[in-house]
Structures are given as structure tokens and as C-alpha cells.
Amino acid sequence: MDTERTAADVFRLLSDEIRLDILRTVARAQHENRETGVTELSFSDIYERVDVDGTSKLSYHLGELTGTFLRKHENGYAFTHAGEQLVRFVLAENYRHPAAVGPIETDGTCLHCGEAGLHATLHDQYFLLQCPACERPSFSYNVTPAQVQAHDGPALIDAVIGDLAGDLLKMRQGVCPDCAGRIDTEVFDAREVPVGNTVPASFATSSECKQCLRFLSLPLTHAAAYHPESVVFHWKHGVDIMGTGLWEFHHHLHDGQWTADRVDTDPDEYRVELRRDSASLRLYLDEDAAVTRTEHVKQRDQNDRRSR
Ligand SMILES: [Zn+2]
Ligand SMILES: [Zn+2]
């Protein structure tokens, strides 16, 4: 039974050029047939396309792949979920070393010292924004070799922004961007953790997937900025949140325009205020960083608040 296969068994199955070739062949055939919607490739079609020594050998290799990476249907072979994931990884050659990048000068402000002008590079194969002033890493994120190959210079920055915005949207819905399992988010007091002393954020979110162990931590203000109400609020003020690098929000923490406070305990309630021009959006969040209500604050209220 394939359900009893261990990860080691599964990877051992792939350590064979013919089997990898079969998987690539099925993917290419699906791509060629995309207009007809036919996703299966027959035994004879595979035999025609793959360089294999006789039908019995092909039959053996297909048998090994079936159940884990391929499914056998009446009309031929198609991918299982694992096969689909694996073949995309192989075709994109995401197992290679990414090419060197940068430094690319980019907009945004250092989370630690507030200086503008960050430099983007790849460091240990991770996208890293380094602050030239304090030399500390201001932001890092995973990039794939395919991403680096397909996008150059500022276009790579845009690709990282798009990828990150997509990941954050999924996380907001409790969906892990890597395995699509469940991701849980909670709010914590950033001043109580060691790194908290070096950043101006008061509260932060911690999101983690118990299945694949993916995790991400963000200032609470930044997490709240992806709420639809904030996306609309900023859009009306000429800012496309989904197309802006998270690091471009850092200066709002340094200049006090974006703030997060705990307004209630037991259960904890937080208020994030995002100010723009003379307007302001308040978002109230529970301890899981879910927005429970929002309010727009007019200029007059702002002046009242400031004079208090
Ligand atoms: Zn700095
Ligand atoms: Zn996951």
C-alpha cells in the first residue's frame, strides 16, 4: 500500500533518470493538450516519448511511480498531488543554485535604525534587504531559483512583493502558503522578545503551520495593513498595499504614523491605527489577529486626539 511508504521510500523511487523523464513527459503532454483538457497520457504515448529499453521496462517504471506520483486511469496516466508538486519543482529546476543578485537599491526603510535606501541581495539563497547604515538585515524572504532566473533587477523586487502579498493573503485566511494546511496566528508583545529592543513595533504576529512548520512573524500593524478595509483605504490615498514591499511600511513605525496598542485584556483586544494624510483607519483585532471591526477617523477627531 502506498500509504505505508515512508519519505525515504518515496524519494528512492525518484532516483532514476527514466522515472523523472516519465514525469516530465506527462507534464509536457498535459501542457500540449491544455486546450482539449485531456490530462492523461496513454502507455503507448509515454513509450513513444520516453527513451526506454522496451515496453516491459517502461511497464516496470510506471508501476513503481503509480500510486505515489502517478494515477492510472482507463485512458492512461495522470499526476497525483505529490507527482504534480514534484514535477513542477523539477521542471522549474528549483533544486539548482540561484544566480547571484544585486545589490539592487530599493525603496523602503530599515526596521531597526529608520534609514532609507535598502540594498537587496541573495544571502544564503534567501532574498535579503540589508541596511547600508547599520548593516543589519532589515527583511528576508525565501526566493526560488526560478524566480531569480525569470526576474531581473527591480522586476525581482516586484516578484518578491507579489509572492509575499499572496502568502500573506493566504495566511490571513488561515491557509499555509506552502502546504495549504492550517496556519495559526497569534499576537504577542514584541517588547518581550530579544529582537523587540531593536525594532519600534510594540505588538507583532506569529503565524505557524503545525504540519510543514512554516512560520512568519510580522509587526501587527503590517499584518493588519493587508485587511481589505486597509487595502481600500490606502488605495483611495494612492497606495497599492498589495504592490508595496512590506519593508516600505517600516518608516510608518519610526514616524509614529502606524501604531498598535492593547486596548483590552481577558480576552486581549488590540487596536491598530494606520494614518495617511489627514485621515486614519482603526482596526480592532482579537488575540488571533483577526480583525473584528474597523472605524474611519475623520480629520477633526485626529486633531482632538493629537491635542489631548
Ligand atoms: Zn539600519
Ligand atoms: Zn504548511
Side-chain angles (χ1 to χ4, degrees):
M1 284 291 288
D2 61 274
T3 48
E4 289 161 14
R5 279 176 178 164
T6 64
D9 292 338
V10 164
F11 283 107
R12 215 171 288 124
L13 284 177
L14 292 171
S15 165
D16 184 293
E17 201 45 62
I18 293 173
R19 291 181 200 162
L20 287 170
D21 215 25
I22 291 170
L23 296 178
R24 285 191 203 99
T25 298
V26 174
R28 288 191 181 116
Q30 283 185 345
H31 181 255
E32 284 163 24
N33 295 337
R34 61 194 179 280
E35 276 167 16
T36 62
V38 175
T39 56
E40 290 132 37
L41 196 61
S42 70
F43 183 92
S44 56
D45 282 340
I46 297 174
Y47 187 61
E48 221 167 79
R49 291 161 182 248
V50 174
D51 186 14
V52 59
D53 211 4
T55 52
S56 61
K57 215 162 183 187
L58 177 61
S59 183
Y60 163 70
H61 287 303
L62 279 172
E64 289 291 280
L65 291 170
T66 300
T68 304
F69 296 106
L70 293 175
R71 289 176 290 134
K72 192 169 187 271
H73 291 281
E74 213 174 302
N75 300 321
Y77 295 85
F79 289 117
T80 59
H81 174 75
E84 174 97 36
Q85 291 281 102
L86 196 272
V87 81
R88 305 281 170 236
F89 175 79
V90 171
L91 286 170
E93 300 189 333
N94 271 339
Y95 48 86
R96 289 184 183 273
H97 286 281
V101 167
I104 311 163
E105 230 178 285
T106 177
D107 294 335
T109 310
C110 175
L111 182 59
H112 305 280
C113 74
E115 280 294 316
L118 301 172
H119 289 172
T121 53
L122 284 199
H123 183 74
D124 286 344
Q125 304 198 3
Y126 273 73
F127 176 84
L128 177 77
L129 287 177
Q130 189 98 16
C131 169
C134 73
E135 293 182 347
R136 274 192 277 210
S138 195
F139 181 80
S140 83
Y141 212 65
N142 46 337
V143 289
T144 66
Q147 212 175 348
V148 175
Q149 216 197 344
H151 310 278
D152 210 11
L156 176 64
I157 310 274
D158 288 342
V160 172
I161 290 172
D163 195 30
L164 178 62
D167 285 359
L168 292 177
L169 275 190
K170 286 186 185 173
M171 286 191 192
R172 238 182 51 74
Q173 304 293 334
V175 176
C176 173
D178 279 304
C179 76
R182 180 196 155 121
I183 205 156
D184 290 312
T185 297
E186 56 181 46
V187 181
F188 68 96
D189 191 333
R191 295 160 298 192
E192 286 173 1
V193 298
V195 71
N197 298 325
T198 70
V199 299
S202 48
F203 293 95
T205 60
S206 161
S207 302
E208 60 175 68
C209 171
K210 294 213 165 42
Q211 279 154 289
C212 76
L213 306 182
R214 171 80 188 265
F215 69 93
L216 185 79
S217 182
L218 291 180
L220 184 58
T221 48
H222 293 28
Y226 287 85
H227 186 269
E229 193 78 53
S230 157
V231 172
V232 172
F233 171 76
H234 284 92
W235 182 257
K236 285 180 179 164
H237 287 85
V239 178
D240 176 11
I241 288 284
M242 308 304 287
T244 305
L246 197 73
W247 51 91
E248 293 177 61
F249 304 152
H250 292 346
H251 72 96
H252 299 310
L253 293 176
H254 287 279
D255 62 20
Q257 288 293 94
W258 285 16
T259 52
D261 297 287
R262 181 159 38 206
V263 291
D264 210 346
T265 53
D266 202 21
D268 287 340
E269 187 182 33
Y270 301 88
R271 182 183 62 210
V272 164
E273 187 151 355
L274 309 174
R275 302 172 184 86
R276 195 91 213 172
D277 304 328
S278 54
S280 168
L281 174 68
R282 283 182 192 158
L283 302 110
Y284 292 84
L285 301 95
D286 64 17
E287 49 204 357
D288 301 327
V291 173
T292 51
R293 65 196 163 96
T294 63
E295 64 188 25
H296 289 268
V297 186
K298 295 190 194 91
Q299 190 174 8
R300 195 184 61 240
D301 303 335
Q302 287 260 312
N303 291 338
D304 287 351
R305 194 183 48 77
R306 282 192 186 133
S307 64
R308 274 207 296 270

